[in-house]
Amino acid sequence: MKATTLEGTEIDLSPDMLAGLKLQLQGPLLTPEDADYEASRRLWNAMIDRRPAMVVRCLGVADVMACVRFAREHELLLCIKGGGHNIAGLAVADGALMLDLSLMRGVWVDRERRVAHAQAGCVLGDVDRETQVHGLATVLGFISTTGIAGLTLGGGFGYLSRRWGYTTDNVLGMDVVTPDGSLVHASADKNADLFWGLCGGGGNFGVVTGFDYQLYPVGPEVVGGLVAWPASEAPAVLELYQRLAEQAPPELTLVALMRPAPPVPWLPKEYHGQPIVALLACYSGDPEEGELVVAPIKAFGQPIGDVMVRRPYAQMQKLLDATQPKGRRYYWKSEYLPGIEPALCDKAIEHAGRIRSPHSVVILFQLGGALNRHEDDHSAVGNRDARYVFNVGGAWESAADDAENIAWAREAWDDLKAFSTGGTYINFLTEDEGQERTEAALGPALQRLGEIKRRWDPDNRLRVNRNIAPG
Ligand SMILES: Cc1cc2nc3c(=O)[nH]c(=O)nc-3n(C[C@H](O)[C@H](O)[C@H](O)COP(=O)(O)OP(=O)(O)OC[C@H]3O[C@@H](n4cnc5c(N)ncnc54)[C@H](O)[C@@H]3O)c2cc1C
């Protein structure tokens, strides 16, 4: 079998070499001839179509260690798939040995200590499901099928971030297989530099096999959901959004979005496919207070649909899943914002009006609150001054429509980036965004990250990521 080396050359791996690796594994080793290979290499974003030389579906830490050592011995390119949701397709590389962690989805909750240990192949919904058994939760993102590993290692924000910070701010420790194939623990007390780097610097320093998350009482009910209006109301709705967001308590997270109305039962048929504006809210504190807090949204103007109600937190965490299915073609542009100004809203409305596909969206997420609690050097996650993040989210079905949808996203970004803090979120960067965008995401942390990389991965064996050169 042919595989790609770290230097980008091709080598032959003999049947004996592969048999030797197989003997050390408990999980299956898949090559292109195996039926499951195709499903393993496919990612959330159908724009990415790469073919690893082989895939190991790891069943535990020992499998990960065996693969990392095998890759080291033969100088192979190694890539790691957590949830496979990275829009740039950083989970897979042509010719690489791919570690597919999706069979490692165990979650153990210590109710007394309020800590969850989650294996690195979990998706967000796995963690919510087990922690909610105990009325607990940690900070995760908005779509339950996203992988915890990529999300956490790049920062991570969602409905609970304004109360408790980035996901990484709530990680107590990580188990890590280092590029030399050994297992270490990283926390604020142990291998603290490695821990600091993994909290925002991505999988540059090791393969994380498990995360310990701090948990908090959340739910079982929260107040949340969507209220929608016709796009003609967008200027007034965005003004309301800005006003409510500026005075929101940390328990409340508000998101504004503009898109063609999806064909869902809670929106009248005559609006399906028509442009709408919607506010998405989640109040994760006492539901009675939550109902009062969201009342001005529900009472505003004449909504065409309203599903902002008391609902289980676990359901809230899945509310948007159907809007982001695996297998569509996706292209995003994103920036952090210091605030919402009228001129930004005008531009956002203008570009939302030019959306080329029924699935695309212009979205404004609210940050602030506890995200700004720490100093910028608390971990490698920077940009703590950001108050909002916008995402121009192109989504469509057919490769024939790539050019016009990408052009739409880029044109919108060209106008909207004037309002940026200058920073961007590393987990939203697309395939065509280069080193200058990694710098915009990691900023001043880059120098220290380079030093940590030199200590833990001096040969840059883990390079299929937003790569940090050994400093
Ligand atoms: C639909 C959707 C919704 C999203 N919503 C949010 C959101 O609400 N909040 C938010 O913060 N982000 C969000 N994101 C962005 C998300 O955080 C990133 O896409 C993230 O990379 C996904 O993690 P993953 O494990 O699925 O990624 P993968 O594609 O599997 O991996 C991404 C990168 O992480 C590395 N990696 C994966 N596992 C490991 C590991 N165990 N050890 C070391 N390195 C590893 C990979 O090598 C790769 O470089 C969303 C993305 C999508 C597609």
Side-chain angles (χ1 to χ4, degrees), residues 162 240-254 282-283 293 297 366-370 387-388:
R162 290 171 39 74
L240 173 74
Y241 173 67
Q242 192 262 352
R243 191 155 37 83
L244 295 180
E246 290 304 311
Q247 64 197 34
E251 289 86 354
L252 179 67
T253 296
L254 288 173
C282 175
Y283 185 90
V293 168
I297 302 175
Q366 183 190 10
L367 302 175
R387 296 280 160 177
Y388 298 86

Side-chain angles (χ1 to χ4, degrees), residues 165-454:
Y166 281 108
T167 303
T168 46
D169 296 341
N170 296 286
V171 175
L172 301 173
M174 304 185 204
D175 295 324
V176 187
V177 175
T178 57
D180 65 3
S182 43
L183 177 67
V184 300
H185 190 72
S187 68
D189 302 324
K190 214 166 181 192
N191 297 310
D193 63 332
L194 177 62
F195 185 63
W196 189 94
L198 286 168
C199 289
N204 263 284
F205 320 99
V207 183
V208 178
T209 56
F211 296 88
D212 295 326
Y213 293 106
Q214 181 71 64
L215 304 176
Y216 307 92
V218 176
E221 275 196 331
V222 297
V223 173
L226 288 143
V227 178
W229 300 261
S232 53
E233 298 301 313
V237 171
L238 291 190
E239 204 184 305
L240 173 74
Y241 173 67
Q242 192 262 352
R243 191 155 37 83
L244 295 180
E246 290 304 311
Q247 64 197 34
E251 289 86 354
L252 179 67
T253 296
L254 288 173
V255 178
L257 53 102
M258 290 177 283
R259 57 165 294 162
V264 287
W266 64 276
L267 290 174
K269 271 209 173 81
E270 63 268 30
Y271 285 102
H272 293 178
Q274 298 302 309
I276 57 163
V277 57
L279 294 187
L280 167 70
C282 175
Y283 185 90
S284 62
D286 176 358
E288 267 176 39
E289 277 168 35
E291 282 172 340
L292 294 176
V293 168
V294 304
I297 302 175
K298 294 166 78 73
F300 189 76
Q302 291 181 311
I304 55 170
D306 177 352
V307 284
M308 200 175 280
V309 293
R310 280 189 190 214
R311 59 174 81 240
Y313 174 71
Q315 189 193 82
M316 185 74 214
Q317 285 288 86
K318 295 181 173 187
L319 195 72
L320 300 182
D321 282 9
T323 66
Q324 304 288 322
K326 180 176 176 182
R328 278 190 189 142
R329 305 176 79 77
Y330 293 96
Y331 184 86
W332 294 348
K333 283 289 171 198
S334 182
E335 297 287 338
Y336 281 126
L337 301 170
I340 303 278
E341 7 174 336
L344 163 88
C345 295
D346 292 348
K347 285 288 172 200
I349 293 168
E350 182 187 326
H351 288 285
R354 295 188 197 150
I355 282 177
R356 314 296 300 180
S357 147
H359 310 302
S360 295
V361 64
V362 175
I363 193 160
L364 288 161
F365 299 95
Q366 183 190 10
L367 302 175
L371 284 159
N372 310 125
R373 185 179 53 190
H374 294 295
E375 293 301 315
D376 242 3
D377 64 357
H378 175 72
S379 70
V381 187
N383 290 296
R384 287 183 187 268
D385 56 335
R387 296 280 160 177
Y388 298 86
V389 56
F390 80 72
N391 198 17
V392 178
W396 63 100
E397 304 282 353
S398 160
D401 301 328
D402 285 1
E404 66 169 337
N405 283 286
I406 291 172
W408 166 74
R410 294 193 68 89
E411 278 163 25
W413 178 57
D414 276 346
D415 269 352
L416 291 171
K417 68 185 173 195
F419 302 94
S420 170
T421 60
T424 187
Y425 181 37
I426 199 151
N427 273 344
F428 285 175
L429 294 180
T430 41
E431 201 184 358
D432 59 0
E433 295 186 290
Q435 184 58 20
E436 75 291 352
R437 296 290 281 163
T438 301
E439 281 165 23
L442 293 172
L446 264 177
Q447 189 182 340
R448 189 163 164 195
L449 285 169
E451 289 159 16
I452 298 168
K453 179 81 171 173
R454 191 181 61 224

